[in-house]
């Protein structure tokens, strides 16, 4: 069976973990945490970054930093992972769901302004499959109405919008290093703080509401409880693992892009004949090959398709269920109609894509897919 995902190890992970264990510094914010944060600040020119234990945690930090509270409204695409909404719900916010684009699972930027009310505090955009949302449009709506933008860039490492790295455009950006992402640490995440007014408070929230970071930098002579927060920072063991991965970012990306292009090549004809749809990359966006997906005609065809692949030893999976139809959301809200989000819930299928996947395997998967569509 070709698995959907297989975590890739560069070989250096256990070496760096060994080093951190023997250095005697196991808790967070040590050498490897600094190295990993520095990597993002240097490579992507992010002003200030903080490693977190997950992207979910980075989103929760964002919700705390933006002072989200009861009665605030947050605009979020419905076709996304739970955390993009949940992090704000935990602060008491009401989620206003937006539909996806017709040509792409990302948020339909043209619908966003109509969802803005005097209670809107932030827009969360999700760069689905690592492909940028139209950030100029989003930022101009946000600036016009004085609201914040959080980029859920969980899937978007090393991907760009008009040359600008994703996660670095909105006021805050969040990344994930979950084992299904391009760069992994098992569980892990990062908050990018692009608006410097949040920098000082972010460090406090990160360190359980204390000014411990400032103390270690010698900025204050004792540290104590000064704000709300939690234990959002990962241990050095996780950071050590992550740093080994970051050092391999380039070869990992090159290999993934190569495999992605092979899929695209192998399925192009099916797309041209409108038998399925392959991903569309807008001209303002790059492709970081986080995911290769296809879109079937309907739910029945999708189920048959996944079964056909399974019968041929290939594990493919569908993705998000629209959040606006989730049990949790419907407990408190009336049903809404977001047809494109439901369309992607029903019809999108993700194909195997991981570093060690062989080019031959991708070619074979394409053959199996072509056969399913009678080609
Ligand atoms: C993976 C993912 C998350 C959650 O990341 P964790 O690190 O597992 O918390 C959030 N949003 C999106 C869009 C994701 O793909």
């Amino acid at each position: 069976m070709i698995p959907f995902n297989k975590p890739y190890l560069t070989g250096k992970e256990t070496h760096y973990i060994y080093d951190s264990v023997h250095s005697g510094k196991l808790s967070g914010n040590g050498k490897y945490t600094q190295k990993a944060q520095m990597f993002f600040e240097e490579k992507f020119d992010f002003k200030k970054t903080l490693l977190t234990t997950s992207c979910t945690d980075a989103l929760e930090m964002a919700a705390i930093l933006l002072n989200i509270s009861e009665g605030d409204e947050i605009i979020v695409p419905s076709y996304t992972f739970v955390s993009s909404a949940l992090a704000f719900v935990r602060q008491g916010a009401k989620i206003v769901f937006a539909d996806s684009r017709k040509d792409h699972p990302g948020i339909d930027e043209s619908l966003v302004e109509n969802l803005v009310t005097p209670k809107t505090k932030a827009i969360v955009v999700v760069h689905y499959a690592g492909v940028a949302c139209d950030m100029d449009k989003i930022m101009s709506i946000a600036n016009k109405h004085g609201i914040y933008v959080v980029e859920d860039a969980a899937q978007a490492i090393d991907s760009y919008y008009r040359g600008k790295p994703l996660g670095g455009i909105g006021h805050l950006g969040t990344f994930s290093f979950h084992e299904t992402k391009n760069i992994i640490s098992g569980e892990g995440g990062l908050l990018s703080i692009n608006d410097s007014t949040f920098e000082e408070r972010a460090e406090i929230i990160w360190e359980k509401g204390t000014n411990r970071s400032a103390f270690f930098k010698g900025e204050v002579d004792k540290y104590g409880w000064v704000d709300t927060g939690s234990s959002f920072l990962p241990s050095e063991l996780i950071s050590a693992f992550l740093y080994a991965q970051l050092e391999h970012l380039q070869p990992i990306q090159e290999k993934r892009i190569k495999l992605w292009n092979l899929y695209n090549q192998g399925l192009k004809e099916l797309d041209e004949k409108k038998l399925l749809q392959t991903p569309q990359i807008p001209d303002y966006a790059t492709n970081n090959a986080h995911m290769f997906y296809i879109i079937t005609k309907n739910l029945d065809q999708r189920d048959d398709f996944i079964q056909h692949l399974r019968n041929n030893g290939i594990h493919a999976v569908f993705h998000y269920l629209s959040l606006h139809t989730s049990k949790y959301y419907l407990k408190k809200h009336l049903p809404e109609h977001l047809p494109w989000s439901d369309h992607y819930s029903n019809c999108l299928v993700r194909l195997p894509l991981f570093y060690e996947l062989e080019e031959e395997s991708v070619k074979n998967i394409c053959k199996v897919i072509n056969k399913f569509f009678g080609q």
Side-chain angles (χ1 to χ4, degrees), residues 53-57 59 80-81 83-84 126 152 154-155 175-178 180-181 187-189 290 319-320:
T53 51
S54 64
C55 181
T56 302
D57 264 5
L59 287 160
T80 182
F81 190 63
S83 305
S84 321
V126 178
D152 181 342
Q155 305 172 10
F175 291 87
S176 173
F177 310 118
H178 184 264
T180 52
K181 307 299 202 269
E187 305 277 357
H290 171 60
H319 209 185
Y320 304 130

Side-chain angles (χ1 to χ4, degrees), residues 313-326:
I314 300 155
H315 188 204
V317 293
F318 57 87
H319 209 185
Y320 304 130
L321 301 172
S322 291
L323 294 180
H324 74 281
T325 63
S326 65

Side-chain angles (χ1 to χ4, degrees), residues 76-89:
V76 183
S78 177
Y79 192 71
T80 182
F81 190 63
V82 177
S83 305
S84 321
L86 178 60
F88 299 87
V89 167

